Each structure stands twice: as structure tokens, then as C-alpha cells.
Amino acid sequence: MNRELIVRSSSQSVDFALLKDGKLTELHKEENSNDFSVGDIFLAKIRKPVTGLNAAFVNVGYEKDAFLHYHDLGPQLSSMLKFIKQVSTGKLKDYSLGNFPFETDIDKNGVITDVIKANQSLLVQIVKEPISTKGPRISSELSIAGRYLVMVPFSDRVSVSQKIASKEEKDRLKRLVRSIKPKGFGVIIRTVAEGQKVAELDKDLENLLNKWTAMCKKLHRAQTPSKVFVELNRASSILRDVFNDSFTGIHVDDDTLYNEIKDYVSEIAPEKESIVKHYNTNVPIFEKFGIERQIKTSFGRTAAMSKGAYLIIEHTEALHVIDVNSGNRSNKAKNQEDTALEVNLLSASEIARQLRLRDMGGIIVVDFIDMVKPQHRKRLFEHLRDEMKDDRAKHKILPPSKFGLIQITRQRVRPEMNIKTTEEDPNNAGKEVEAPIVLIDKITADLEKLLKGPAKDNSISLNIHPFIAAYITKGFPSLRIKWFLEYKRWIKIQPRDAYTYLEYRFKNKDGKTIY
């Protein structure tokens, strides 16, 4: 399995595309104006606690106040407030927490007005970016993420990622981390730490402590609200979270970003530094790697799959609904149950990809094709669960209901990736049609059905608008030549001036429309 990260830079934003064996699996956009990214830490001021919500609205500098629930305060809130007060006034200059006297944990079922007051300053971390009309969601239980470890100030707990299956490895990692962990800091051991030696873990932990110290130095005389800790830029954070030995290429079209990423990779995996390459040709980088085409065909209301099957994805304020359709695909399955299983398994893989690609969060309801056999429903559930193992967002999948529905909850920490895939209709001003590149995929899929279906036609002509006809026939190798090499049949292309831009018909030798 090959993984590649493609980075495209512009004056307004930086786009990151993660490819898995050439297929687009994740797409991220980092806006230059985004001052409230997940992981950023602010010295903020309490606007007002609200007893009815058991929460407080906090001024972090955004146009809408951030929301802080009591359960997001963290058990060591009293210790943190005491620490902030002493550091801000200059009374405390030792940020190690080793000799800092901790306060008693707050009651986990307490009332917010008992622990914080209006105009009080505290450190908060962005856990959900501003979405729609809502301000950012925050937590005062801080964490600073590294390559192998996540450091949690004002804690003493050591925990290990559940994705590490071996009990022996978990015990080994816990033992190593406890031997190097400074007092007053908890540690979460990440999945990528599996198999690592103590020297690598110690180096990562030392780096996190340096970040903590640098942040604490900013607290002295800092104004509220102000950002005191900046999460890694999106490129480095993606590499930190997903980078592994399967990465075969990182391609960047910007000099500055190229140097930043190369330095970061040389730090976390020196043996992989050579895979970072500066892309510098006339063809746009997303076009070169086929990403633009995949974006156009993946972000519409309909997501096509192989052999004619497709998904319909609808959005509401509260949830997302995905409908699985087999289409009029030709298949060699013996019965309807086998067809349903085949389409459902194919759809499960595409759904797992779509959730990551669009970064869909909240409640997702998937209407799979009904299957009678319990073993088939179980196989579908296990397959979907396996396909979503690589998803970094927290999620939960419920087994299929009696109606064939599968419910998924997926963590939403930033606005959903929403890309416009329709274009203005050249035949009808004011209306929009799907992108022409989607039309080519539809024509190819329909052609495959005609040539591989049970009633194969020996002579087929494609009647189509002259512009599209030119696209199919020009160049070498043209799309028509590719069809010939694939299907061993020569397709006659007949331009039709009377056709609208996206209209097409397949006809037989007698001139009758067959599709």
C-alpha cells in the first residue's frame, strides 16, 4: 500500500490531499485567516457562567463566545487557576510542576458557579473549531500532542492507545513512560509509539516539555484573550498523525512549505527525508496527481462507484443520510442476496472514504440494500468497521437494524469539507449542471454496461455535443483509443449540433437509441 501527501499552496490557503494507492482519502484546507484551529491554547477570560447549562461562555477573541461545559473543565481546575495566577503575576518562575502544590480535584458532578467566576482568567484549548453560527468549543483540560506521546499537564495518569492490541507491549510502554515522566504531567501513549525505544519516547517528551515552558513564559503580563500556544501547521500535524513506513512520497509545490516539511520529516523519520520532493512543473500539482478529477467526482450529491453502483448523500442540520443504490449494473451474481452483499461491501468501503474525505461529523445513517441472511449483515458490519479503522476521528458504529440501517456517530471538530462540483449550464443561463468531467465518467460507465452486458451490441455509435466529441477524439492517446484498448471495440463518435452540452445517446447500426 502506497501513501502520498500532496500539498498545494496559494496566497489564501494551503490544500493537503492524502492519497492511498492513488485514491483520494483525505482532503484538508488550511486558511491563512484561521486563528482558531483545533489544539490552539488561549489565555481567555470568563464572560459569564450559566447555571442552567452548567457551562460558561468564554471570551477567546472570536466574534462569538466559546462554550465551556463543566465536564470540560478538568479535575485539576483549581490547581491550574492557582498556577496561572502565580505565573501571570511573576511569583512563580518554575514551570516544571514538580514542586508545585496541587489543589484538591473538583467534584465531577459539581456546579460551574462554585468553581469559576466572571472575569476570571484561565487557559483553554480549542477542541472544536467554529461551525456555522456557533463559536468554538473549548476545554480547560489541556493536552500537547507529539509524535509518540500526548502530554497532559496537572495530571499524573499514564494511558495507552486502545489500538495497540498487545498487552505485553502496552505494559512495556507504560513502564518506560513512567520511568521518564516528570512529576505533575500525565501522558497518553499514541498508537505510533508501538515498538519504539525509550530514547525516542524521551526525546519526544522533552520536546513537549519545551513547548510547555515556552507557553508558560508567555503568560507573564499576557493580555486576555490571547493565543499562547499554536498547534502545528496542518501539514506537520497531518504528518505527525498519519506518517508511517508506508509513505512513499510527499510532494509540495511551495519552496517555504517544502523546507518546513523536509525539516519536520528529517526530525521524526530521517530515513524518509528523501521522499519529500519539491514539485516544480507547469502542470498544476493537483491536476498532475489526478486529484482535481477525484474532487469533481467525489463531492457531489451522488458518489459513483464501480459497475454502476452509487451513493446518494443528503445533509440536514442534525444528521447525514446515505442511500446505497445498485443502479442498473450488470452482475454475474446468482441471486439477489449475493448482489446485495456485493454492492453493500463495495459501498461500505466508499462510505468510509467519503466520511474522511468530506470530514462528515455528527450522526450518519446509512440505508444499505436489504439482506436476509444474518451472516451477511454481520459480514457487512465487520467490513465497515475494518474500513474505518484508519479514521482518526472518534467514531462508533452500531450493527445493522432490522430495516438494514447502520447508524454511525463521528466526531466533528471543524466545519465539513464542502466543495462545489456543479457549473453554470451553458445552454440555460441561471441554472447549474454537474461538472463535465463527471459526464465523461458516466459515459464510460454506460459504455461498459453496453459492451459487457448480456445483450452485447456489435456496432455502437455515441451521439454527443461537438465540444464533448472533440474532447473524446482529440489527443494521443485519446479517450476513444483508451476505450478501444480496454474493450477491443471501436466506438463511432457522432457530433450532434442539436444536442445540449451534456446530452448524449448510444445508438446501434440501425440508428435506434439503445441507451
Side-chain angles (χ1 to χ4, degrees):
M1 179 178 66
N2 294 329
R3 291 193 184 193
E4 293 177 293
L5 180 66
I6 315 300
V7 184
R8 178 180 67 180
S9 178
S10 69
S11 58
Q12 292 82 28
S13 63
V14 181
D15 297 311
F16 307 92
L18 190 63
L19 303 182
K20 184 177 177 182
D21 290 331
K23 196 164 188 178
L24 184 63
T25 57
E26 289 188 36
L27 186 65
H28 302 274
K29 182 184 287 288
E30 185 178 63
E31 303 282 354
N32 292 340
S33 60
N34 188 9
D35 294 325
F36 300 91
S37 298
V38 172
D40 289 349
I41 298 176
F42 288 78
L43 180 64
K45 181 167 284 190
I46 303 294
R47 184 85 73 182
K48 63 174 180 179
V50 182
T51 308
L53 297 174
N54 204 20
F57 290 100
V58 181
N59 178 17
V60 293
Y62 188 66
E63 57 188 289
K64 298 261 186 178
D65 286 341
F67 184 80
L68 178 64
H69 194 272
Y70 183 90
H71 292 149
D72 294 323
L73 292 173
Q76 279 291 339
L77 176 71
S78 301
S79 300
M80 180 201 280
L81 292 172
K82 180 181 175 183
F83 179 83
I84 293 169
K85 187 174 182 180
Q86 292 186 10
V87 171
S88 298
T89 56
K91 293 181 179 178
L92 181 65
K93 295 183 180 178
D94 178 12
Y95 312 127
S96 64
L97 300 182
N99 299 317
F100 182 76
F102 278 41
E103 300 292 313
T104 308
D105 288 5
I106 63 173
D107 183 1
K108 65 179 181 179
N109 296 314
V111 179
I112 198 156
T113 49
D114 293 338
V115 291
I116 57 175
K117 297 177 177 60
N119 297 319
Q120 204 166 16
S121 296
L122 79 164
L123 288 170
V124 296
Q125 189 165 32
I126 306 293
V127 295
K128 183 184 286 188
E129 293 177 11
I131 297 174
S132 186
T133 59
K134 298 177 182 177
R137 179 77 181 261
I138 57 177
S139 170
S140 59
E141 191 168 16
L142 309 180
S143 63
I144 303 176
R147 172 79 173 132
Y148 304 113
L149 307 172
V150 178
M151 191 177 73
V152 184
F154 306 103
S155 174
D156 204 38
R157 184 181 174 192
V158 176
S159 56
V160 189
S161 166
Q162 295 297 318
K163 292 183 179 180
I164 298 178
S166 168
K167 185 179 183 303
E168 291 77 11
E169 179 62 6
K170 283 184 176 180
D171 292 341
R172 183 188 76 88
L173 290 170
K174 276 188 176 181
R175 188 170 62 252
L176 290 179
V177 169
R178 284 200 178 102
S179 69
I180 60 175
K181 181 187 74 68
K183 185 180 177 183
F185 293 91
V187 174
I188 301 168
I189 302 169
R190 307 185 73 180
T191 309
V192 288
E194 187 171 8
Q196 295 299 321
K197 296 179 180 179
V198 67
E200 294 297 323
L201 302 179
D202 188 46
K203 180 182 175 183
D204 198 37
L205 187 58
E206 185 179 348
N207 184 39
L208 295 176
L209 284 168
N210 290 336
K211 289 182 178 181
W212 166 256
T213 302
M215 184 193 79
C216 291
K217 287 179 179 177
K218 295 180 181 178
L219 295 179
H220 184 47
R221 296 175 183 170
Q223 300 295 315
T224 54
S226 62
K227 187 187 293 189
V228 292
F229 176 80
V230 180
E231 173 64 309
L232 288 172
N233 62 51
R234 190 63 61 86
S236 298
S237 65
I238 290 171
L239 286 172
R240 181 191 65 197
D241 293 342
V242 305
F243 188 84
N244 56 37
D245 291 338
S246 69
F247 265 75
T248 56
I250 300 170
H251 305 270
V252 192
D253 69 352
D254 179 81
D255 282 330
T256 306
L257 267 174
Y258 164 73
N259 291 322
E260 285 180 10
I261 293 173
K262 190 165 187 176
D263 290 344
Y264 185 74
V265 171
S266 66
E267 182 183 327
I268 64 173
E271 71 284 359
K272 285 281 189 178
E273 185 181 347
S274 61
I275 71 172
V276 184
K277 295 180 174 62
H278 182 219
Y279 181 85
N280 187 19
T281 68
N282 293 329
V283 180
I285 189 169
F286 270 24
E287 193 171 316
K288 172 69 175 177
F289 288 91
I291 296 167
E292 289 289 6
R293 182 188 186 91
Q294 293 191 58
I295 289 173
K296 291 284 188 182
T297 57
S298 298
F299 277 90
R301 177 176 175 266
T302 302
M305 297 179 289
S306 61
K307 300 179 181 178
Y310 61 95
L311 304 175
I312 295 178
I313 303 174
E314 299 279 7
H315 309 276
T316 71
E317 186 68 26
L319 52 81
H320 309 276
V321 180
I322 302 176
D323 184 39
V324 175
N325 291 272
S326 60
N328 55 353
R329 61 196 288 272
S330 59
N331 67 82
K332 299 178 182 178
K334 295 178 181 178
N335 54 55
Q336 186 177 354
E337 181 77 6
D338 291 342
T339 303
L341 176 62
E342 184 183 353
V343 174
N344 283 341
L345 293 176
L346 183 70
S347 301
S349 301
E350 180 63 18
I351 287 165
R353 171 178 169 261
Q354 286 285 340
L355 295 184
R356 293 175 64 189
L357 190 56
R358 302 182 187 220
D359 206 3
M360 292 164 60
I363 301 171
I364 300 108
V365 179
V366 186
D367 183 12
F368 284 99
I369 299 172
D370 290 343
M371 295 185 295
V372 177
K373 297 180 180 179
Q375 62 267 33
H376 286 175
R377 292 197 292 268
K378 181 182 178 184
R379 184 178 168 190
L380 171 63
F381 173 64
E382 291 174 348
H383 179 71
L384 179 59
R385 196 169 53 186
D386 289 342
E387 288 292 306
M388 291 191 66
K389 274 184 179 177
D390 289 338
D391 197 331
R392 288 176 289 142
K394 292 179 183 176
H395 60 272
K396 186 174 183 180
I397 308 170
L398 297 182
S401 70
K402 291 181 180 179
F403 302 110
L405 303 176
I406 285 185
Q407 299 173 67
I408 305 169
T409 59
R410 188 175 183 274
Q411 183 186 31
R412 178 166 55 186
V413 297
R414 56 180 59 90
E416 180 186 342
M417 179 67 72
N418 187 16
I419 293 177
K420 184 179 178 182
T421 59
T422 56
E423 299 178 8
E424 186 176 339
D425 186 351
N427 298 110
N428 196 340
K431 290 192 176 182
E432 292 190 336
V433 292
E434 60 190 358
I437 197 70
V438 179
L439 174 75
I440 299 299
D441 287 347
K442 279 188 174 182
I443 292 172
T444 303
D446 291 343
L447 181 64
E448 183 178 353
K449 292 173 199 170
L450 289 172
L451 297 178
K452 293 188 175 181
K456 298 178 183 177
D457 285 277
N458 293 322
S459 179
I460 294 177
S461 66
L462 172 60
N463 291 244
I464 199 160
H465 189 280
F467 285 177
I468 308 298
Y471 176 83
I472 292 173
T473 56
K474 301 301 180 185
F476 186 83
S478 67
L479 184 59
R480 178 164 58 172
I481 291 174
K482 290 179 181 178
W483 287 343
F484 177 74
L485 295 173
E486 173 76 17
Y487 306 116
K488 306 297 184 286
R489 300 276 293 282
W490 187 255
I491 307 302
K492 184 179 179 182
I493 307 299
Q494 187 68 53
R496 295 295 183 192
D497 294 338
Y499 278 24
T500 58
Y501 191 48
L502 303 181
E503 185 180 359
Y504 66 94
R505 299 280 188 277
F506 284 104
K507 297 192 176 185
N508 61 17
K509 61 182 179 180
D510 299 323
K512 292 183 179 179
T513 300
I514 54 177
Y515 203 86

